[in-house]
Each structure stands twice: as structure tokens, then as C-alpha cells.
PDB file of all heavy atoms in Angstrom:
ATOM      1  N   VAL T 567     218.473  78.217  56.427  1.00 41.00           N
ATOM      2  CA  VAL T 567     217.487  79.288  56.462  1.00 41.00           C
ATOM      3  C   VAL T 567     216.291  78.923  55.594  1.00 41.00           C
ATOM      4  O   VAL T 567     215.135  79.065  55.990  1.00 41.00           O
ATOM      5  CB  VAL T 567     218.110  80.618  55.990  1.00 41.00           C
ATOM      6  CG1 VAL T 567     217.044  81.706  55.932  1.00 41.00           C
ATOM      7  CG2 VAL T 567     219.248  81.015  56.916  1.00 41.00           C
ATOM      8  N   ALA T 568     216.589  78.431  54.386  1.00 46.00           N
ATOM      9  CA  ALA T 568     215.505  78.048  53.483  1.00 46.00           C
ATOM     10  C   ALA T 568     214.691  76.912  54.076  1.00 46.00           C
ATOM     11  O   ALA T 568     213.466  76.885  53.979  1.00 46.00           O
ATOM     12  CB  ALA T 568     216.072  77.659  52.121  1.00 46.00           C
ATOM     13  N   TYR T 569     215.380  75.935  54.700  1.00 47.00           N
ATOM     14  CA  TYR T 569     214.685  74.779  55.264  1.00 47.00           C
ATOM     15  C   TYR T 569     213.720  75.206  56.357  1.00 47.00           C
ATOM     16  O   TYR T 569     212.624  74.662  56.486  1.00 47.00           O
ATOM     17  CB  TYR T 569     215.698  73.781  55.812  1.00 47.00           C
ATOM     18  CG  TYR T 569     215.071  72.502  56.309  1.00 47.00           C
ATOM     19  CD1 TYR T 569     214.798  71.466  55.433  1.00 47.00           C
ATOM     20  CD2 TYR T 569     214.739  72.342  57.648  1.00 47.00           C
ATOM     21  CE1 TYR T 569     214.212  70.284  55.868  1.00 47.00           C
ATOM     22  CE2 TYR T 569     214.144  71.175  58.097  1.00 47.00           C
ATOM     23  CZ  TYR T 569     213.897  70.146  57.210  1.00 47.00           C
ATOM     24  OH  TYR T 569     213.304  68.990  57.649  1.00 47.00           O
ATOM     25  N   SER T 570     214.119  76.203  57.157  1.00 51.00           N
ATOM     26  CA  SER T 570     213.264  76.653  58.243  1.00 51.00           C
ATOM     27  C   SER T 570     211.993  77.304  57.727  1.00 51.00           C
ATOM     28  O   SER T 570     210.995  77.370  58.444  1.00 51.00           O
ATOM     29  CB  SER T 570     214.031  77.637  59.137  1.00 51.00           C
ATOM     30  OG  SER T 570     214.347  78.817  58.406  1.00 51.00           O
ATOM     31  N   GLN T 571     212.007  77.779  56.509  1.00 59.00           N
ATOM     32  CA  GLN T 571     210.847  78.434  55.930  1.00 59.00           C
ATOM     33  C   GLN T 571     210.012  77.491  55.083  1.00 59.00           C
ATOM     34  O   GLN T 571     208.939  77.866  54.632  1.00 59.00           O
ATOM     35  CB  GLN T 571     211.302  79.627  55.079  1.00 59.00           C
ATOM     36  CG  GLN T 571     212.056  80.687  55.867  1.00 59.00           C
ATOM     37  CD  GLN T 571     212.632  81.758  54.969  1.00 59.00           C
ATOM     38  OE1 GLN T 571     212.644  81.625  53.747  1.00 59.00           O
ATOM     39  NE2 GLN T 571     213.117  82.841  55.567  1.00 59.00           N
ATOM     40  N   ILE T 572     210.477  76.276  54.871  1.00 64.00           N
ATOM     41  CA  ILE T 572     209.807  75.331  53.995  1.00 64.00           C
ATOM     42  C   ILE T 572     209.204  74.200  54.814  1.00 64.00           C
ATOM     43  O   ILE T 572     209.845  73.650  55.701  1.00 64.00           O
ATOM     44  CB  ILE T 572     210.790  74.754  52.956  1.00 64.00           C
ATOM     45  CG1 ILE T 572     211.264  75.861  52.021  1.00 64.00           C
ATOM     46  CG2 ILE T 572     210.159  73.636  52.162  1.00 64.00           C
ATOM     47  CD1 ILE T 572     212.324  75.411  51.060  1.00 64.00           C
ATOM     48  N   GLN T 573     207.957  73.861  54.527  1.00 72.00           N
ATOM     49  CA  GLN T 573     207.306  72.711  55.127  1.00 72.00           C
ATOM     50  C   GLN T 573     206.750  71.834  54.007  1.00 72.00           C
ATOM     51  O   GLN T 573     205.549  71.813  53.748  1.00 72.00           O
ATOM     52  CB  GLN T 573     206.192  73.146  56.075  1.00 72.00           C
ATOM     53  CG  GLN T 573     206.694  73.747  57.386  1.00 72.00           C
ATOM     54  CD  GLN T 573     205.573  73.965  58.374  1.00 72.00           C
ATOM     55  OE1 GLN T 573     204.430  74.196  57.995  1.00 72.00           O
ATOM     56  NE2 GLN T 573     205.885  73.891  59.647  1.00 72.00           N
ATOM     57  N   PRO T 574     207.626  71.114  53.335  1.00 78.00           N
ATOM     58  CA  PRO T 574     207.176  70.305  52.203  1.00 78.00           C
ATOM     59  C   PRO T 574     206.395  69.088  52.666  1.00 78.00           C
ATOM     60  O   PRO T 574     206.497  68.656  53.823  1.00 78.00           O
ATOM     61  CB  PRO T 574     208.487  69.892  51.540  1.00 78.00           C
ATOM     62  CG  PRO T 574     209.452  69.834  52.673  1.00 78.00           C
ATOM     63  CD  PRO T 574     209.057  70.962  53.598  1.00 78.00           C
ATOM     64  N   VAL T 575     205.615  68.540  51.762  1.00 83.00           N
ATOM     65  CA  VAL T 575     204.920  67.287  52.023  1.00 83.00           C
ATOM     66  C   VAL T 575     205.889  66.156  51.693  1.00 83.00           C
ATOM     67  O   VAL T 575     206.192  65.910  50.525  1.00 83.00           O
ATOM     68  CB  VAL T 575     203.642  67.175  51.172  1.00 83.00           C
ATOM     69  CG1 VAL T 575     202.944  65.850  51.442  1.00 83.00           C
ATOM     70  CG2 VAL T 575     202.700  68.340  51.464  1.00 83.00           C
ATOM     71  N   LEU T 576     206.396  65.494  52.708  1.00 84.00           N
ATOM     72  CA  LEU T 576     207.368  64.423  52.509  1.00 84.00           C
ATOM     73  C   LEU T 576     206.670  63.078  52.461  1.00 84.00           C
ATOM     74  O   LEU T 576     205.723  62.824  53.209  1.00 84.00           O
ATOM     75  CB  LEU T 576     208.407  64.439  53.642  1.00 84.00           C
ATOM     76  CG  LEU T 576     209.238  65.715  53.775  1.00 84.00           C
ATOM     77  CD1 LEU T 576     210.217  65.600  54.932  1.00 84.00           C
ATOM     78  CD2 LEU T 576     209.989  66.006  52.488  1.00 84.00           C
ATOM     79  N   THR T 577     207.130  62.213  51.581  1.00 88.00           N
ATOM     80  CA  THR T 577     206.530  60.898  51.399  1.00 88.00           C
ATOM     81  C   THR T 577     207.615  59.841  51.313  1.00 88.00           C
ATOM     82  O   THR T 577     208.808  60.147  51.222  1.00 88.00           O
ATOM     83  CB  THR T 577     205.700  60.847  50.096  1.00 88.00           C
ATOM     84  OG1 THR T 577     206.598  60.918  48.970  1.00 88.00           O
ATOM     85  CG2 THR T 577     204.697  61.981  50.032  1.00 88.00           C
ATOM     86  N   GLY T 578     207.201  58.592  51.317  1.00 89.00           N
ATOM     87  CA  GLY T 578     208.108  57.523  50.978  1.00 89.00           C
ATOM     88  C   GLY T 578     208.263  57.437  49.473  1.00 89.00           C
ATOM     89  O   GLY T 578     207.451  57.988  48.712  1.00 89.00           O
ATOM     90  N   ALA T 579     209.312  56.776  49.010  1.00 91.00           N
ATOM     91  CA  ALA T 579     209.575  56.604  47.578  1.00 91.00           C
ATOM     92  C   ALA T 579     209.429  57.915  46.809  1.00 91.00           C
ATOM     93  O   ALA T 579     208.696  57.985  45.808  1.00 91.00           O
ATOM     94  CB  ALA T 579     208.659  55.539  46.982  1.00 91.00           C
ATOM     95  N   PRO T 580     210.105  58.988  47.231  1.00 90.00           N
ATOM     96  CA  PRO T 580     209.936  60.284  46.560  1.00 90.00           C
ATOM     97  C   PRO T 580     210.456  60.308  45.130  1.00 90.00           C
ATOM     98  O   PRO T 580     210.152  61.244  44.385  1.00 90.00           O
ATOM     99  CB  PRO T 580     210.725  61.248  47.453  1.00 90.00           C
ATOM    100  CG  PRO T 580     211.756  60.397  48.111  1.00 90.00           C
ATOM    101  CD  PRO T 580     211.092  59.074  48.330  1.00 90.00           C
ATOM    102  N   PHE T 581     211.234  59.296  44.724  1.00 92.00           N
ATOM    103  CA  PHE T 581     211.716  59.277  43.342  1.00 92.00           C
ATOM    104  C   PHE T 581     210.570  59.196  42.349  1.00 92.00           C
ATOM    105  O   PHE T 581     210.723  59.577  41.176  1.00 92.00           O
ATOM    106  CB  PHE T 581     212.681  58.095  43.144  1.00 92.00           C
ATOM    107  CG  PHE T 581     212.020  56.756  43.009  1.00 92.00           C
ATOM    108  CD1 PHE T 581     211.928  56.129  41.774  1.00 92.00           C
ATOM    109  CD2 PHE T 581     211.498  56.100  44.123  1.00 92.00           C
ATOM    110  CE1 PHE T 581     211.320  54.888  41.644  1.00 92.00           C
ATOM    111  CE2 PHE T 581     210.911  54.858  44.009  1.00 92.00           C
ATOM    112  CZ  PHE T 581     210.816  54.252  42.763  1.00 92.00           C
ATOM    113  N   LEU T 582     209.393  58.727  42.789  1.00 94.00           N
ATOM    114  CA  LEU T 582     208.232  58.647  41.902  1.00 94.00           C
ATOM    115  C   LEU T 582     207.676  60.021  41.549  1.00 94.00           C
ATOM    116  O   LEU T 582     206.784  60.130  40.713  1.00 94.00           O
ATOM    117  CB  LEU T 582     207.144  57.785  42.538  1.00 94.00           C
ATOM    118  CG  LEU T 582     207.488  56.301  42.703  1.00 94.00           C
ATOM    119  CD1 LEU T 582     206.400  55.577  43.479  1.00 94.00           C
ATOM    120  CD2 LEU T 582     207.705  55.648  41.338  1.00 94.00           C
ATOM    121  N   ARG T 583     208.202  61.073  42.173  1.00 92.00           N
ATOM    122  CA  ARG T 583     207.799  62.438  41.820  1.00 92.00           C
ATOM    123  C   ARG T 583     208.807  63.093  40.883  1.00 92.00           C
ATOM    124  O   ARG T 583     208.583  64.228  40.440  1.00 92.00           O
ATOM    125  CB  ARG T 583     207.660  63.292  43.080  1.00 92.00           C
ATOM    126  CG  ARG T 583     206.528  62.884  44.008  1.00 92.00           C
ATOM    127  CD  ARG T 583     206.460  63.806  45.208  1.00 92.00           C
ATOM    128  NE  ARG T 583     206.195  65.194  44.816  1.00 92.00           N
ATOM    129  CZ  ARG T 583     206.270  66.216  45.651  1.00 92.00           C
ATOM    130  NH1 ARG T 583     206.610  66.024  46.915  1.00 92.00           N
ATOM    131  NH2 ARG T 583     206.025  67.448  45.227  1.00 92.00           N
ATOM    132  N   ILE T 584     209.893  62.423  40.588  1.00 91.00           N
ATOM    133  CA  ILE T 584     210.948  63.010  39.769  1.00 91.00           C
ATOM    134  C   ILE T 584     210.727  62.638  38.305  1.00 91.00           C
ATOM    135  O   ILE T 584     210.609  61.455  37.969  1.00 91.00           O
ATOM    136  CB  ILE T 584     212.333  62.520  40.228  1.00 91.00           C
ATOM    137  CG1 ILE T 584     212.550  62.856  41.707  1.00 91.00           C
ATOM    138  CG2 ILE T 584     213.429  63.152  39.388  1.00 91.00           C
ATOM    139  CD1 ILE T 584     213.799  62.251  42.291  1.00 91.00           C
ATOM    140  N   SER T 585     210.676  63.617  37.453  1.00 91.00           N
ATOM    141  CA  SER T 585     210.495  63.374  36.022  1.00 91.00           C
ATOM    142  C   SER T 585     211.637  62.507  35.493  1.00 91.00           C
ATOM    143  O   SER T 585     212.802  62.885  35.611  1.00 91.00           O
ATOM    144  CB  SER T 585     210.456  64.701  35.265  1.00 91.00           C
ATOM    145  OG  SER T 585     210.496  64.493  33.874  1.00 91.00           O
ATOM    146  N   PRO T 586     211.344  61.358  34.870  1.00 91.00           N
ATOM    147  CA  PRO T 586     212.421  60.456  34.469  1.00 91.00           C
ATOM    148  C   PRO T 586     212.957  60.665  33.062  1.00 91.00           C
ATOM    149  O   PRO T 586     214.005  60.118  32.725  1.00 91.00           O
ATOM    150  CB  PRO T 586     211.753  59.078  34.568  1.00 91.00           C
ATOM    151  CG  PRO T 586     210.335  59.340  34.174  1.00 91.00           C
ATOM    152  CD  PRO T 586     210.019  60.733  34.684  1.00 91.00           C
ATOM    153  N   ASP T 587     212.239  61.417  32.209  1.00 93.00           N
ATOM    154  CA  ASP T 587     212.648  61.446  30.802  1.00 93.00           C
ATOM    155  C   ASP T 587     213.044  62.841  30.349  1.00 93.00           C
ATOM    156  O   ASP T 587     212.570  63.856  30.874  1.00 93.00           O
ATOM    157  CB  ASP T 587     211.532  60.891  29.902  1.00 93.00           C
ATOM    158  CG  ASP T 587     210.307  61.779  29.870  1.00 93.00           C
ATOM    159  OD1 ASP T 587     209.582  61.809  30.881  1.00 93.00           O
ATOM    160  OD2 ASP T 587     210.070  62.423  28.840  1.00 93.00           O
ATOM    161  N   ALA T 588     213.923  62.872  29.345  1.00 94.00           N
ATOM    162  CA  ALA T 588     214.515  64.125  28.889  1.00 94.00           C
ATOM    163  C   ALA T 588     213.527  64.994  28.122  1.00 94.00           C
ATOM    164  O   ALA T 588     213.623  66.225  28.175  1.00 94.00           O
ATOM    165  CB  ALA T 588     215.737  63.835  28.023  1.00 94.00           C
ATOM    166  N   ARG T 589     212.588  64.381  27.405  1.00 95.00           N
ATOM    167  CA  ARG T 589     211.636  65.213  26.674  1.00 95.00           C
ATOM    168  C   ARG T 589     210.762  66.011  27.642  1.00 95.00           C
ATOM    169  O   ARG T 589     210.610  67.230  27.503  1.00 95.00           O
ATOM    170  CB  ARG T 589     210.747  64.355  25.778  1.00 95.00           C
ATOM    171  CG  ARG T 589     209.827  65.223  24.907  1.00 95.00           C
ATOM    172  CD  ARG T 589     208.685  64.485  24.291  1.00 95.00           C
ATOM    173  NE  ARG T 589     207.791  65.394  23.578  1.00 95.00           N
ATOM    174  CZ  ARG T 589     206.497  65.189  23.406  1.00 95.00           C
ATOM    175  NH1 ARG T 589     205.939  64.094  23.878  1.00 95.00           N
ATOM    176  NH2 ARG T 589     205.761  66.071  22.764  1.00 95.00           N
ATOM    177  N   ALA T 590     210.183  65.330  28.636  1.00 95.00           N
ATOM    178  CA  ALA T 590     209.396  66.036  29.644  1.00 95.00           C
ATOM    179  C   ALA T 590     210.271  67.016  30.411  1.00 95.00           C
ATOM    180  O   ALA T 590     209.810  68.089  30.818  1.00 95.00           O
ATOM    181  CB  ALA T 590     208.747  65.043  30.596  1.00 95.00           C
ATOM    182  N   GLY T 591     211.553  66.652  30.602  1.00 94.00           N
ATOM    183  CA  GLY T 591     212.473  67.547  31.286  1.00 94.00           C
ATOM    184  C   GLY T 591     212.685  68.848  30.553  1.00 94.00           C
ATOM    185  O   GLY T 591     213.008  69.871  31.162  1.00 94.00           O
ATOM    186  N   GLY T 592     212.517  68.858  29.234  1.00 95.00           N
ATOM    187  CA  GLY T 592     212.620  70.089  28.464  1.00 95.00           C
ATOM    188  C   GLY T 592     211.325  70.865  28.393  1.00 95.00           C
ATOM    189  O   GLY T 592     211.297  72.013  27.935  1.00 95.00           O
ATOM    190  N   LEU T 593     210.227  70.244  28.853  1.00 96.00           N
ATOM    191  CA  LEU T 593     208.907  70.860  28.801  1.00 96.00           C
ATOM    192  C   LEU T 593     208.408  71.238  30.186  1.00 96.00           C
ATOM    193  O   LEU T 593     207.214  71.170  30.477  1.00 96.00           O
ATOM    194  CB  LEU T 593     207.910  69.896  28.134  1.00 96.00           C
ATOM    195  CG  LEU T 593     208.141  69.604  26.655  1.00 96.00           C
ATOM    196  CD1 LEU T 593     207.214  68.488  26.170  1.00 96.00           C
ATOM    197  CD2 LEU T 593     207.918  70.871  25.812  1.00 96.00           C
ATOM    198  N   GLY T 594     209.313  71.641  31.055  1.00 94.00           N
ATOM    199  CA  GLY T 594     208.902  72.044  32.388  1.00 94.00           C
ATOM    200  C   GLY T 594     208.420  70.902  33.251  1.00 94.00           C
ATOM    201  O   GLY T 594     207.585  71.091  34.142  1.00 94.00           O
ATOM    202  N   ASP T 595     208.946  69.700  33.012  1.00 94.00           N
ATOM    203  CA  ASP T 595     208.572  68.502  33.785  1.00 94.00           C
ATOM    204  C   ASP T 595     207.067  68.271  33.764  1.00 94.00           C
ATOM    205  O   ASP T 595     206.398  68.211  34.805  1.00 94.00           O
ATOM    206  CB  ASP T 595     209.075  68.608  35.227  1.00 94.00           C
ATOM    207  CG  ASP T 595     210.556  68.305  35.339  1.00 94.00           C
ATOM    208  OD1 ASP T 595     211.105  67.736  34.374  1.00 94.00           O
ATOM    209  OD2 ASP T 595     211.168  68.638  36.371  1.00 94.00           O
ATOM    210  N   GLN T 596     206.529  68.135  32.559  1.00 95.00           N
ATOM    211  CA  GLN T 596     205.118  67.794  32.417  1.00 95.00           C
ATOM    212  C   GLN T 596     204.956  66.787  31.295  1.00 95.00           C
ATOM    213  O   GLN T 596     205.819  66.669  30.412  1.00 95.00           O
ATOM    214  CB  GLN T 596     204.276  69.035  32.124  1.00 95.00           C
ATOM    215  CG  GLN T 596     204.584  69.718  30.792  1.00 95.00           C
ATOM    216  CD  GLN T 596     203.533  70.747  30.430  1.00 95.00           C
ATOM    217  OE1 GLN T 596     202.405  70.425  30.074  1.00 95.00           O
ATOM    218  NE2 GLN T 596     203.922  72.022  30.538  1.00 95.00           N
ATOM    219  N   GLY T 597     203.828  66.050  31.313  1.00 95.00           N
ATOM    220  CA  GLY T 597     203.628  65.053  30.270  1.00 95.00           C
ATOM    221  C   GLY T 597     202.259  64.422  30.248  1.00 95.00           C
ATOM    222  O   GLY T 597     202.008  63.526  29.449  1.00 95.00           O
ATOM    223  N   VAL T 598     201.324  64.887  31.084  1.00 97.00           N
ATOM    224  CA  VAL T 598     200.025  64.234  31.139  1.00 97.00           C
ATOM    225  C   VAL T 598     199.182  64.515  29.900  1.00 97.00           C
ATOM    226  O   VAL T 598     198.315  63.712  29.524  1.00 97.00           O
ATOM    227  CB  VAL T 598     199.267  64.659  32.421  1.00 97.00           C
ATOM    228  CG1 VAL T 598     198.730  66.073  32.310  1.00 97.00           C
ATOM    229  CG2 VAL T 598     198.151  63.682  32.743  1.00 97.00           C
ATOM    230  N   ALA T 599     199.426  65.648  29.221  1.00 96.00           N
ATOM    231  CA  ALA T 599     198.618  66.004  28.049  1.00 96.00           C
ATOM    232  C   ALA T 599     199.456  66.331  26.831  1.00 96.00           C
ATOM    233  O   ALA T 599     198.922  66.794  25.820  1.00 96.00           O
ATOM    234  CB  ALA T 599     197.707  67.187  28.374  1.00 96.00           C
ATOM    235  N   THR T 600     200.762  66.094  26.882  1.00 96.00           N
ATOM    236  CA  THR T 600     201.607  66.325  25.709  1.00 96.00           C
ATOM    237  C   THR T 600     201.377  65.214  24.690  1.00 96.00           C
ATOM    238  O   THR T 600     200.705  64.216  24.971  1.00 96.00           O
ATOM    239  CB  THR T 600     203.092  66.361  26.117  1.00 96.00           C
ATOM    240  OG1 THR T 600     203.423  65.134  26.792  1.00 96.00           O
ATOM    241  CG2 THR T 600     203.368  67.537  27.041  1.00 96.00           C
ATOM    242  N   THR T 601     201.929  65.374  23.496  1.00 95.00           N
ATOM    243  CA  THR T 601     201.770  64.334  22.489  1.00 95.00           C
ATOM    244  C   THR T 601     202.495  63.058  22.931  1.00 95.00           C
ATOM    245  O   THR T 601     203.420  63.083  23.733  1.00 95.00           O
ATOM    246  CB  THR T 601     202.336  64.805  21.138  1.00 95.00           C
ATOM    247  OG1 THR T 601     203.692  65.237  21.318  1.00 95.00           O
ATOM    248  CG2 THR T 601     201.514  65.948  20.575  1.00 95.00           C
ATOM    249  N   THR T 602     202.061  61.944  22.369  1.00 95.00           N
ATOM    250  CA  THR T 602     202.560  60.639  22.786  1.00 95.00           C
ATOM    251  C   THR T 602     204.033  60.464  22.459  1.00 95.00           C
ATOM    252  O   THR T 602     204.521  60.901  21.420  1.00 95.00           O
ATOM    253  CB  THR T 602     201.763  59.527  22.083  1.00 95.00           C
ATOM    254  OG1 THR T 602     200.375  59.743  22.297  1.00 95.00           O
ATOM    255  CG2 THR T 602     202.143  58.164  22.614  1.00 95.00           C
ATOM    256  N   ASP T 603     204.761  59.816  23.376  1.00 94.00           N
ATOM    257  CA  ASP T 603     206.137  59.414  23.117  1.00 94.00           C
ATOM    258  C   ASP T 603     206.390  58.089  23.831  1.00 94.00           C
ATOM    259  O   ASP T 603     205.499  57.524  24.474  1.00 94.00           O
ATOM    260  CB  ASP T 603     207.138  60.486  23.541  1.00 94.00           C
ATOM    261  CG  ASP T 603     207.014  60.860  25.004  1.00 94.00           C
ATOM    262  OD1 ASP T 603     206.686  59.973  25.815  1.00 94.00           O
ATOM    263  OD2 ASP T 603     207.237  62.030  25.348  1.00 94.00           O
ATOM    264  N   ALA T 604     207.607  57.594  23.741  1.00 94.00           N
ATOM    265  CA  ALA T 604     207.930  56.294  24.323  1.00 94.00           C
ATOM    266  C   ALA T 604     207.864  56.295  25.841  1.00 94.00           C
ATOM    267  O   ALA T 604     207.748  55.235  26.469  1.00 94.00           O
ATOM    268  CB  ALA T 604     209.324  55.851  23.869  1.00 94.00           C
ATOM    269  N   PHE T 605     207.930  57.480  26.472  1.00 96.00           N
ATOM    270  CA  PHE T 605     207.975  57.573  27.930  1.00 96.00           C
ATOM    271  C   PHE T 605     206.625  57.943  28.539  1.00 96.00           C
ATOM    272  O   PHE T 605     206.560  58.365  29.696  1.00 96.00           O
ATOM    273  CB  PHE T 605     209.023  58.607  28.344  1.00 96.00           C
ATOM    274  CG  PHE T 605     210.400  58.309  27.838  1.00 96.00           C
ATOM    275  CD1 PHE T 605     210.913  59.002  26.742  1.00 96.00           C
ATOM    276  CD2 PHE T 605     211.186  57.332  28.421  1.00 96.00           C
ATOM    277  CE1 PHE T 605     212.186  58.730  26.261  1.00 96.00           C
ATOM    278  CE2 PHE T 605     212.463  57.048  27.947  1.00 96.00           C
ATOM    279  CZ  PHE T 605     212.962  57.751  26.860  1.00 96.00           C
ATOM    280  N   SER T 606     205.551  57.776  27.786  1.00 96.00           N
ATOM    281  CA  SER T 606     204.223  58.163  28.276  1.00 96.00           C
ATOM    282  C   SER T 606     203.788  57.357  29.494  1.00 96.00           C
ATOM    283  O   SER T 606     202.896  57.789  30.235  1.00 96.00           O
ATOM    284  CB  SER T 606     203.188  58.005  27.159  1.00 96.00           C
ATOM    285  OG  SER T 606     203.453  58.878  26.082  1.00 96.00           O
ATOM    286  N   GLN T 607     204.377  56.206  29.721  1.00 96.00           N
ATOM    287  CA  GLN T 607     203.984  55.355  30.839  1.00 96.00           C
ATOM    288  C   GLN T 607     204.046  56.094  32.174  1.00 96.00           C
ATOM    289  O   GLN T 607     203.171  55.925  33.019  1.00 96.00           O
ATOM    290  CB  GLN T 607     204.891  54.122  30.887  1.00 96.00           C
ATOM    291  CG  GLN T 607     204.599  53.154  32.020  1.00 96.00           C
ATOM    292  CD  GLN T 607     203.558  52.118  31.656  1.00 96.00           C
ATOM    293  OE1 GLN T 607     202.887  52.229  30.631  1.00 96.00           O
ATOM    294  NE2 GLN T 607     203.416  51.110  32.480  1.00 96.00           N
ATOM    295  N   PHE T 608     205.071  56.899  32.378  1.00 96.00           N
ATOM    296  CA  PHE T 608     205.227  57.593  33.653  1.00 96.00           C
ATOM    297  C   PHE T 608     204.140  58.643  33.859  1.00 96.00           C
ATOM    298  O   PHE T 608     203.659  58.838  34.981  1.00 96.00           O
ATOM    299  CB  PHE T 608     206.609  58.256  33.723  1.00 96.00           C
ATOM    300  CG  PHE T 608     206.851  59.021  34.995  1.00 96.00           C
ATOM    301  CD1 PHE T 608     207.274  58.367  36.141  1.00 96.00           C
ATOM    302  CD2 PHE T 608     206.652  60.407  35.048  1.00 96.00           C
ATOM    303  CE1 PHE T 608     207.495  59.078  37.319  1.00 96.00           C
ATOM    304  CE2 PHE T 608     206.878  61.113  36.216  1.00 96.00           C
ATOM    305  CZ  PHE T 608     207.297  60.444  37.358  1.00 96.00           C
ATOM    306  N   TRP T 609     203.752  59.322  32.798  1.00 97.00           N
ATOM    307  CA  TRP T 609     202.833  60.456  32.911  1.00 97.00           C
ATOM    308  C   TRP T 609     201.379  60.066  32.701  1.00 97.00           C
ATOM    309  O   TRP T 609     200.514  60.478  33.461  1.00 97.00           O
ATOM    310  CB  TRP T 609     203.219  61.527  31.890  1.00 97.00           C
ATOM    311  CG  TRP T 609     204.611  62.015  32.046  1.00 97.00           C
ATOM    312  CD1 TRP T 609     205.712  61.627  31.331  1.00 97.00           C
ATOM    313  CD2 TRP T 609     205.086  62.965  33.003  1.00 97.00           C
ATOM    314  NE1 TRP T 609     206.832  62.282  31.765  1.00 97.00           N
ATOM    315  CE2 TRP T 609     206.479  63.117  32.799  1.00 97.00           C
ATOM    316  CE3 TRP T 609     204.467  63.719  33.995  1.00 97.00           C
ATOM    317  CZ2 TRP T 609     207.246  63.977  33.566  1.00 97.00           C
ATOM    318  CZ3 TRP T 609     205.231  64.579  34.763  1.00 97.00           C
ATOM    319  CH2 TRP T 609     206.607  64.699  34.543  1.00 97.00           C
TER     320      TRP T 609
END
């Protein structure tokens, strides 16, 4: 039922949209403007 109502934008290599680190995972999956950490490369 949910799938029939959803039209997501599907891409190749979707893992590149998944937050990889635990600190960003605790901050609502964000990191472009947070303070610097070891995992800043992804964001």
C-alpha cells in the first residue's frame, strides 16, 4: 500500500545516500555544516 503511494527518485549506487557514520546518525543524518570530525569526507 505504501509503495503504491510512493514515487521515489531511484538511482544507481544508492548506498551513497546512506549516512555512513554514527555521529551524523545521531544528528538526524546531517553533516555538511556541523563541526569537523574524522568522517567529514562523506559530507
Side-chain angles (χ1 to χ4, degrees):
V567 176
Y569 185 85
S570 65
Q571 299 173 349
I572 295 175
Q573 287 189 331
V575 179
L576 299 180
T577 69
F581 77 105
L582 294 174
R583 293 181 62 190
I584 303 172
S585 171
D587 67 287
R589 185 196 175 209
L593 293 172
D595 282 344
Q596 64 168 288
V598 75
T600 56
T601 54
T602 307
D603 57 34
F605 302 102
S606 296
Q607 179 88 349
F608 179 83
W609 302 99

